[in-house]
Amino acid sequence: MIRSLVLGAAVCAVLAGCTDSQNRIEYDGEFFRAKISKVDRQRDVFTVTVRDPGKSLTGARLAAHHEAVRHCIESYGTSDVKWNIDPLDEEAQLPIIDGRLVYQGRCPQAQRI
């Protein structure tokens, strides 16, 4: 009985560890950490920072875009983002600061969720 409980707990622990890695999204064959930060305590104005853009500039730009859209959907119920520099614009200069890709954007002032 105790052996079954220990085995069951071990299986749950292994599966819990797998779940996190399965939820990660791959962009251009790479995984990126993207982080949203409010600007001047305004929830609608934000910066999105992506680490290690050198792994794939295309992937890093896509990760930034995805994180911003997710933020606007969760906060305001819309996928619209007004960018200072659009990460999907391949012609735009990449805003790389201290080895990180940094974009600034704003969610339209739709109804807040």
Side-chain angles (χ1 to χ4, degrees), residues 8-62:
V11 168
C12 287
V14 168
L15 290 176
C18 292
T19 302
D20 184 44
S21 65
Q22 292 172 351
N23 290 332
R24 295 177 64 192
I25 299 173
E26 192 174 316
Y27 303 95
D28 196 34
E30 299 289 343
F31 294 103
F32 293 92
R33 279 192 176 175
K35 179 182 173 189
I36 291 280
S37 302
K38 293 183 262 184
V39 173
D40 297 328
R41 297 186 180 187
Q42 300 176 62
R43 187 179 191 145
D44 61 320
V45 181
F46 60 86
T47 59
V48 60
T49 305
V50 180
R51 290 180 169 183
D52 301 323
K55 294 190 296 186
S56 165
L57 294 175
T58 298
R61 290 179 20 251
L62 292 172

